[in-house]
Amino acid sequence: MSGIVPDPVARQPWQMLFPLFALIMFGALVLTSAAAGDFDAYARSHLLRFAILFVMAVVISRFSKEFVSFFTYPAYLVILLLLMAVEIVGQVGGGSQRWLEVGPIRIQPSELMKPAVVVALANYYGSLPVGMIPNWRALMPAAGIILAPMAFVLLQPDLGTSLAIAFGGGVVMFLAGLPLRWFVMAGIAGVASLPLAFFFALQPYQQDRVTTFLDPESDPLGEGYQITQSKIAIGSGGIFGKGFNEGSQSHLRYLPEPHTDFVFATMAEEWGFVGGLFVLGAFAMILRWGLSVARNANDRFSKLLAAGMTATIFFYVAINLLMVMGFAPVVGIPLPFISHGGSSMMTNMICIGVLMMVYRWNQKAPRTGLIT
């Protein structure tokens, strides 16, 4: 390929970029239909955000390993301070206090914290001697890196984002080499504390979402309405769907949030099982590439960094698809690269940028085997 096109072009991760561009363009098509054929309603801003954030991802990909390692903890602390500021001066929207506004700029610090936790933990475990990793004393700082932002995010309240932070951090800790029995013990403790968490940690509307998930038909016109209509939309699409701009559930306003959290249901109604396979296949190619970047990394920090970013994207995809199909409670997790929304697009493009960065590191330094 390098004989046909210039080397800088040939070296780009096209095995990830092609499915990424395909998802973005398909997302614009679905969002146009979600707005009853109005391209300007959602699709135009969707493409514009991607263009801006893709430039950001390219800039991130040029960072050196030393630069990232040096600024990891300061960046983490700044984002943690922003989370604290949300509790003091944050803007309220949809019953939650999650945003900071400075003039025309509106940011959601909890979204920035998802990749920040992964980078902080990868840097922490990448710098520890191997013998210290399975040590309780070494566990305490790592637990603090995860639990501190989770506490502030739960206060907003935002259960979905807190779970995403825990998942990304947990994957990094597992791959770093922490004993499996610690995770088993944590899982047992988590299951045992579920009743307490349900009654004392969750807000009433979050409790309703959990009970509705277990039995959505018990309240089909109330809390179970979203899941019920989503299932109807997905099922009615059949094999090939009803056709572009022909979705009755979204166009007749039966399906809530057809352009954000339930965009997959909008897509499945019009593009059917074939459209669903296309979306799943594109995500599979991106995630497979992310795992290959982690496998080919030359040091523990790079491996953990790439694996954690891949896990973060996977969490978005898995939870959203389980949610719209009724296999998980509705927690407000959008579908990456297809749903309309700037915050989730920013988080996932940061992950893509970091993966491109590690991919570039791998190209610059020949693989010397597994480094522990």
Side-chain angles (χ1 to χ4, degrees):
M1 183 173 180
S2 60
I4 303 174
V5 298
D7 285 344
V9 177
R11 286 197 298 267
Q12 300 308 310
W14 295 109
Q15 63 269 44
M16 175 275 295
L17 292 175
F18 280 135
L20 175 63
F21 294 154
L23 283 174
I24 291 295
M25 298 307 296
F26 188 49
L29 198 63
V30 174
L31 291 173
T32 299
S33 179
D38 185 359
F39 175 81
D40 293 330
Y42 306 125
R44 182 184 296 277
S45 58
H46 174 75
L47 294 175
L48 179 61
R49 284 168 177 164
F50 173 73
I52 295 172
L53 292 171
F54 183 74
V55 173
M56 177 201 69
V58 171
V59 172
I60 291 175
S61 72
R62 308 308 299 175
F63 291 166
S64 68
K65 193 177 302 182
E66 294 75 21
F67 178 87
V68 174
S69 181
F70 181 80
F71 283 102
T72 291
Y73 297 131
Y76 172 87
L77 290 174
V78 168
I79 299 172
L80 188 62
L81 290 174
L82 291 177
L83 277 177
M84 296 178 185
V86 168
E87 298 303 315
I88 302 172
V89 296
Q91 299 298 312
V92 178
S96 299
Q97 189 173 0
R98 303 176 185 176
W99 295 272
L100 288 176
E101 290 187 1
V102 181
I105 301 175
R106 190 186 198 201
I107 62 172
Q108 187 175 349
S110 59
E111 286 291 334
L112 294 173
M113 186 53 79
K114 296 174 187 177
V117 164
V118 170
V119 179
L121 286 173
N123 192 38
Y124 174 70
Y125 281 111
S127 63
L128 278 183
V130 176
M132 288 189 63
I133 291 178
N135 187 295
W136 281 104
R137 287 178 296 177
L139 176 64
M140 294 300 104
I145 289 174
I146 296 178
L147 294 178
M150 280 187 65
F152 286 107
V153 172
L154 285 172
L155 289 174
Q156 294 181 357
D158 189 347
L159 179 61
T161 297
S162 64
L163 291 176
I165 292 172
F167 182 80
V171 168
V172 172
M173 295 172 74
F174 178 77
L175 296 178
L178 271 67
L180 180 61
R181 66 179 183 276
W182 290 5
F183 293 93
V184 174
M185 293 166 57
I188 294 174
V191 171
S193 64
L194 282 178
L196 291 175
F198 180 83
F199 289 107
F200 298 105
L202 298 183
Q203 299 293 321
Y205 77 92
Q206 293 172 324
Q207 295 175 352
D208 291 339
R209 286 180 177 179
V210 173
T211 55
T212 300
F213 154 67
L214 297 173
D215 185 15
E217 285 75 22
S218 63
D219 189 13
L221 298 179
E223 292 296 331
Y225 183 79
Q226 291 178 310
I227 295 178
T228 301
Q229 296 302 320
S230 178
K231 288 181 177 180
I232 292 173
I234 294 173
S236 64
I239 300 298
F240 299 104
K242 298 176 179 178
F244 173 70
N245 209 25
E246 297 295 332
S248 58
Q249 293 299 112
S250 58
H251 291 176
L252 296 177
R253 307 295 181 184
Y254 288 112
L255 182 65
E257 305 296 335
H259 61 294
T260 54
D261 294 352
F262 290 89
V263 72
F264 184 83
T266 302
M267 181 283 301
E269 183 181 20
E270 297 190 352
W271 298 88
F273 181 70
V274 173
L277 283 181
F278 169 78
V279 171
L280 291 176
F283 278 124
M285 293 175 67
I286 294 172
L287 294 172
R288 182 175 181 270
W289 172 79
L291 292 176
S292 72
V293 171
R295 283 196 304 269
N296 294 327
N298 289 272
D299 58 88
R300 195 186 323 139
F301 171 54
S302 302
K303 288 177 182 293
L304 295 177
L305 189 56
M309 294 300 172
T310 304
T312 300
I313 298 175
F314 170 79
F315 182 87
Y316 269 93
V317 177
I319 296 300
N320 179 269
L321 296 182
L322 291 172
M323 180 182 73
V324 299
M325 290 186 286
F327 295 114
V330 177
V331 291
I333 298 289
L335 187 62
F337 314 124
I338 295 182
S339 291
H340 183 265
S343 296
S344 62
M345 176 79 79
M346 177 186 65
T347 300
N348 285 285
M349 288 308 297
I350 289 174
C351 293
I352 291 293
V354 171
L355 286 168
M356 292 172 64
M357 177 182 69
V358 178
Y359 176 82
R360 186 176 63 83
W361 293 350
N362 296 347
Q363 289 184 318
K364 291 179 63 177
R367 183 178 172 90
T368 58
L370 182 64
I371 296 179
T372 57

